[in-house]
Amino acid sequence: MIAALLAASAAAVSSPVTAPAAEDEIPAFGALGPQPAGATSLTATAGRPFYGVRLAHGLWDAIDVAAGFDYSPDGVYRPSVETRMRAFRAGPTQLVARLLLGRAFSSTQNMANTNDGEIALQFAVAPIPRGALFVEGALLGTTDFTRERTAGFAQGVGGIAIALPGGVSLLGSIGILQGERGHRAVGSSGASLRF
Amino acid sequence: MASWGGVLVCAALCAACGRGVPILMYHSVGGDSDPLTVAPEELDAQLDFLESAGFNTVTLREVLDAQDGGKLPRHAVVLTFDDGYVDASTQVLPRLLQRGQKATFFIVSGFCAQDAATRVTKWQKQFLIWPEVRALADAGMEIGSHTVSHLRLSNLSGADLRAQVRDSRATLQSYLGKPVDFFAYPYNDQSRWVRRAVETAGYRGAVVGSRGNSDPFTLQRLTMHRGITPADLRSMLSENWETAYTEGG
């Protein structure tokens, strides 16, 4: 078992020089992630609350890691790291867990710099290989290690992913971010390029 | 499975320790060296900061209305001034009106005289007279009760406690001709039976000091003392982006 893990780690470390995985039999899942071992994707989205770019790289077939940068017109920008792990895949369905850690910086006077965490479960179904629908439930936590600015939030979104030829995918989602004292719509659309 | 349970518990705890609309607790504004007396230029700087940072001053009534389904403006904050010192009229009111801001003034009804000739002086400070209290209310400020004579309520007998809480409200309402729905515990001293007396007297809510919470009868306040800079105030009031976002609209 340990030998297998070491072998897998070695494969992950050497992944930048390995060839990207063969085309996924359900390309739409490739757009949602995780990226297959050795593959890298660049995703750009625009919407609420953030505009974002994210560079993801597949370490194993079921796990990738990403570095992202989000920007909000309200004056918040947030560098983050993220990992996605496929819990299962059966036919045209898959379940993916996602963990994000970030640091939100604010350029406005009434918002504090905080540490953000996000954990999510995303279930996707692909009625056709190049098109998938997904729903995602997430718990968000934020803190600057003061009682006043430590809070939890819940988010639910649904969306669609469409894989185009050439490693390009289109993504769209819409949902609700629920806080202790209010809620607000969230949503984004964008494109992803795998290379 | 256990780890997912842990995540849910953490999220629930985080949500539970979230805060309500920040409520600032001022007392006096002037040149005294008393720590709870804020210098006029400090108040100017703090009110200017609130204005420039996009904070909207609201009343306690608006806060509780929002808890019942009403809507608050973004970045809401409540300013409260305890005791009813004369500087509420001479120093605070003009500054609030100049900026289009509002506040809640907690008045000790027994310290209000009918006119300037009989104005009450206590603790080396002068107190408002009834025409000045009425002028605050007429200017759109919220008036609350701070008892009849500013006694430590948890030391009083049941009858005296009820009289302090009930009579101050009745007196204020008769002078103002409008409901007085909020109460501030003198010395921020409250206990279960004191709270019960306040609820029974018909108030809608009450404020305490830093040991409060978001319960309508123990609303937490942040103490404004001498020496708080706009940077300090920013640190006291700033929100995380998710809270600001989910309350916006």
Side-chain angles (χ1 to χ4, degrees):
Chain A
M1 181 64 184
I2 292 173
L5 285 173
L6 288 173
S9 299
V13 169
S14 64
S15 59
V17 295
T18 60
E23 182 74 7
D24 197 315
E25 60 184 16
I26 302 181
F29 284 164
L32 294 173
Q35 296 302 314
T40 301
S41 70
L42 179 65
T43 304
T45 55
R48 296 166 65 181
F50 288 122
Y51 295 74
V53 292
R54 187 154 271 98
L55 188 67
H57 182 75
L59 294 182
W60 291 275
D61 275 344
I63 298 178
D64 72 3
V65 293
F69 185 83
D70 298 314
Y71 171 74
S72 156
D74 290 333
V76 178
Y77 51 99
R78 183 179 72 172
S80 63
V81 292
E82 185 181 41
T83 183
R84 295 178 292 193
M85 182 184 73
R86 185 185 300 115
F88 78 81
R89 181 161 167 179
T93 64
Q94 74 167 11
L95 182 69
V96 172
R98 183 170 64 79
L99 173 68
L100 177 146
L101 297 173
R103 171 80 173 159
F105 298 93
S106 171
S107 59
T108 64
Q109 295 202 75
N110 45 32
M111 273 185 259
N113 299 336
T114 55
N115 302 295
D116 282 9
E118 194 173 322
I119 188 162
L121 269 183
Q122 182 193 78
F123 177 75
V125 57
I128 57 173
R130 290 194 176 275
L133 302 170
F134 67 91
V135 291
E136 183 184 276
L139 296 172
L140 288 70
T142 179
T143 184
D144 68 349
F145 303 107
T146 65
R147 179 180 178 274
E148 290 78 10
R149 285 180 289 276
T150 298
F153 302 82
Q155 180 173 278
V157 300
I160 187 169
I162 299 171
L164 304 175
V168 176
S169 302
L170 302 178
L171 299 162
S173 67
I174 189 165
I176 292 286
L177 175 61
Q178 177 69 54
E180 186 190 8
R181 304 202 311 266
H183 64 272
R184 200 161 170 202
V186 295
S188 66
S189 59
S192 178
L193 173 66
R194 182 192 289 181
F195 50 92
Chain B
M1 194 61 198
S3 60
W4 282 105
V7 167
L8 290 170
V9 168
C10 286
L13 288 173
C14 285
C17 64
R19 60 168 190 178
V21 173
I23 305 172
L24 304 185
M25 176 178 64
Y26 289 91
H27 283 79
S28 184
V29 176
D32 299 358
S33 57
D34 165 18
L36 289 178
T37 299
V38 172
E41 55 273 22
E42 288 178 333
L43 181 64
D44 276 326
Q46 290 159 7
L47 297 181
D48 286 343
F49 162 76
L50 293 177
E51 191 175 32
S52 66
F55 284 97
N56 291 291
T57 53
V58 298
T59 61
L60 290 170
R61 180 190 308 275
E62 289 173 282
V63 171
L64 289 204
D65 284 349
Q67 289 185 4
D68 295 337
K71 191 76 178 167
L72 280 176
R74 290 189 77 171
H75 306 308
V77 61
V78 180
L79 310 180
T80 67
F81 291 83
D82 283 13
D83 299 340
Y85 299 113
V86 70
D87 54 58
S89 174
T90 59
Q91 300 281 359
V92 181
L93 182 61
R95 288 174 164 81
L96 294 173
L97 292 178
Q98 185 186 340
R99 296 167 177 84
Q101 295 170 324
K102 51 191 162 185
T104 303
F105 293 85
F106 288 104
I107 306 298
V108 183
S109 63
F111 294 173
C112 291
Q114 295 294 343
D115 51 43
T118 55
R119 187 186 297 277
V120 172
T121 299
K122 196 173 171 65
W123 310 323
Q124 297 176 320
K125 286 181 178 293
Q126 291 189 311
F127 286 81
L128 292 165
I129 57 176
W130 283 115
E132 292 165 342
V133 176
R134 209 172 289 123
L136 288 172
D138 290 345
M141 305 298 147
E142 183 174 54
I143 303 297
S145 163
H146 203 28
T147 70
V148 175
S149 43
H150 205 278
L151 300 175
R152 197 174 285 277
L153 295 180
S154 58
N155 292 344
L156 299 182
S157 68
D160 289 346
L161 165 61
R162 284 190 292 276
Q164 285 285 328
V165 172
R166 186 188 54 215
D167 293 354
S168 62
R169 181 171 192 238
T171 305
L172 283 163
Q173 289 184 151
S174 72
Y175 271 101
L176 299 174
K178 56 174 79 171
V180 170
D181 290 334
F182 294 94
F183 182 85
Y185 303 93
Y187 306 102
N188 294 315
D189 170 49
Q190 63 89 31
S191 58
R192 200 180 313 158
W193 62 92
V194 171
R195 176 203 166 114
R196 197 177 308 131
V198 173
E199 287 192 60
T200 305
Y203 292 97
R204 225 179 131 191
V207 292
V208 293
S210 59
R211 289 173 181 265
N213 48 40
S214 58
D215 182 291
F217 282 89
T218 50
L219 290 167
Q220 183 189 44
R221 292 192 291 177
L222 304 168
T223 304
M224 298 300 291
H225 52 77
R226 181 175 288 270
I228 291 179
T229 66
D232 297 331
L233 190 54
R234 177 195 172 181
S235 176
M236 291 162 70
L237 295 181
S238 58
E239 299 178 292
N240 39 39
W241 72 262
E242 293 97 331
T243 303
Y245 183 76
T246 52
E247 289 177 17

